Amino acid sequence: REMKLNIYDENGKKTQKTVELSETVWNVPLNADVIAQAVTIYLHNRRRGTAHSKTRAEVRGGGRKPWRQKGTGRARHGSIRSPLWTKGGVAFGPRTHKTVKKFPQKMAHAALRSLLSERARGDQVKVMEGFGALGDSKTKSAVKFFGELDSVGKSVLVVLASGEEKSAAIKKSVRNIGRVQVKSSLDVNPYDVSRASRLIIGQDSIAELEKRIS
């Protein structure tokens, strides 16, 4: 069983043509739990883990006892670089630490199918014959293109086929437009789709994407 979507030409105009989409990819029930897991683990693995606070042993200075132990009336201190002091070391602060959590590929694909289905059911997927209007590397052309698709001001994910010849020019066209991301159909992940309220996908990309996650 197949579902169909209208095809838009390279200038963003709706045509009389339609494309058949696999229901196993584009019409599956929403699975909020697996989507949440996929996005959480993706964001976790994206963290660089380069935070590094200095302990009292690493802060410069503080080698001399600030005052004698007894007889001054003041509290006892051994170093001005104690965590108790301003400009002192940090106790139990963040340290350089990178961890990677594994996420089963089957679950990642299930999350992606669920998100794509939600976008398709919400009429948020636009299938393009091509992206010729974005091939001149001009922001003005890209703004006009997104205007035709009612996508100006929205978060947009443009999905290209892996062998798209004009991918560099397309990325250059949209780089000055906020909330627009361009990805290959082989690189799209659940986080990308969850952020986008409009999915603009090339007709050539559909078979590639369906083969990858079906």
Side-chain angles (χ1 to χ4, degrees), residues 110-148:
L112 191 51
R113 290 194 298 269
S114 183
L115 282 163
L116 291 174
S117 298
E118 278 298 293
R119 295 292 179 265
R121 284 192 288 266
D123 195 27
Q124 297 171 326
V125 179
K126 305 292 183 183
V127 180
M128 310 302 301
E129 279 185 330
F131 294 93
L134 301 179
D136 59 3
S137 303
K138 293 182 179 179
T139 304
K140 183 177 180 180
S141 300
V143 171
K144 182 179 179 182
F145 174 79
F146 291 128
E148 292 289 345

Side-chain angles (χ1 to χ4, degrees), residues 72-152:
T72 64
R74 289 181 288 187
R76 296 170 291 187
H77 287 289
S79 171
I80 63 172
R81 293 302 178 240
S82 162
L84 302 176
W85 285 63
T86 301
K87 298 184 181 179
V90 178
F92 310 113
R95 306 287 288 181
T96 302
H97 187 61
K98 172 69 175 177
T99 60
V100 176
K101 292 183 178 180
K102 294 183 178 180
F103 192 63
Q105 189 180 69
K106 285 185 177 180
M107 292 181 68
H109 288 174
L112 191 51
R113 290 194 298 269
S114 183
L115 282 163
L116 291 174
S117 298
E118 278 298 293
R119 295 292 179 265
R121 284 192 288 266
D123 195 27
Q124 297 171 326
V125 179
K126 305 292 183 183
V127 180
M128 310 302 301
E129 279 185 330
F131 294 93
L134 301 179
D136 59 3
S137 303
K138 293 182 179 179
T139 304
K140 183 177 180 180
S141 300
V143 171
K144 182 179 179 182
F145 174 79
F146 291 128
E148 292 289 345
L149 295 171
D150 189 30
S151 300
V152 175

Side-chain angles (χ1 to χ4, degrees), residues 1-18:
R1 188 184 171 189
E2 303 289 335
M3 61 181 297
K4 295 183 179 181
L5 287 180
N6 291 309
I7 297 177
Y8 293 76
D9 65 21
E10 61 182 18
N11 295 311
K13 302 288 187 181
K14 190 174 182 179
T15 70
Q16 300 299 317
K17 303 175 186 176
T18 59

Side-chain angles (χ1 to χ4, degrees), residues 167-182:
S167 59
I170 293 170
K171 290 177 181 178
K172 190 174 181 180
S173 296
V174 305
R175 66 182 178 181
N176 289 326
I177 304 176
R179 304 172 72 192
V180 175
Q181 187 178 19
V182 179

